[in-house]
């Protein structure tokens, strides 16, 4: 716990920050911070690579690549689903 003097100092810093840059200070009032759009790019990329791998494995007859591709598709789909919540 902070003592009374430290609390007053922190409150003063917070008040000044709100006055000088309210947009920046507002970022700290929301928790958890909002997610960016780029965080969805990676799971989508995993699914796309999985689909391409699956198509390639079916054309070339590579069962191991097919299994890995299906795993990537499922994992990417689950990852995307969790990102939406």
């Amino acid at each position: 716990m902070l003592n009374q003097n430290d609390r007053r100092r922190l409150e003063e810093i917070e008040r000044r920050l709100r006055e000088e840059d309210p947009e920046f200070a507002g970022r700290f009032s929301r928790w958890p911070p909002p997610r960016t759009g780029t965080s969805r790019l990676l799971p989508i990329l995993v699914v796309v690579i999985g689909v391409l791998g699956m198509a390639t494995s079916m054309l070339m007859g590579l069962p191991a690549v097919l299994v890995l591709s299906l795993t990537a598709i499922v994992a990417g789909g689950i990852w995307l689903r969790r990102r939406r919540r």
Side-chain angles (χ1 to χ4, degrees):
M1 295 272 319
L2 298 174
N3 63 31
Q4 192 65 22
N5 191 26
D6 290 339
R7 282 189 197 152
R8 273 185 275 149
R9 282 188 211 163
L10 284 174
E11 287 172 1
E12 178 65 23
I13 291 169
E14 185 179 347
R15 184 184 62 77
R16 285 184 187 172
L17 180 61
R18 274 195 228 122
E19 289 173 359
E20 293 174 10
D21 195 354
E23 183 181 333
F24 179 72
R27 292 181 189 173
F28 296 101
S29 64
R30 286 176 262 129
W31 196 257
R35 293 184 176 147
T36 61
T38 58
S39 64
R40 297 182 86 184
L41 183 62
L42 189 58
I44 291 171
L45 187 62
V46 168
V47 171
V48 168
I49 290 172
V51 169
L52 291 174
M54 186 175 71
T56 303
S57 68
M58 293 176 109
L59 290 173
M60 298 182 77
L62 302 169
V65 175
L66 178 65
V67 170
L68 288 174
S69 299
L70 288 173
T71 304
I73 293 169
V74 170
I78 291 171
W79 194 358
L80 276 172
R81 180 120 173 132
R82 286 188 179 181
R83 290 269 183 201
R84 286 186 191 171
R85 291 182 185 174

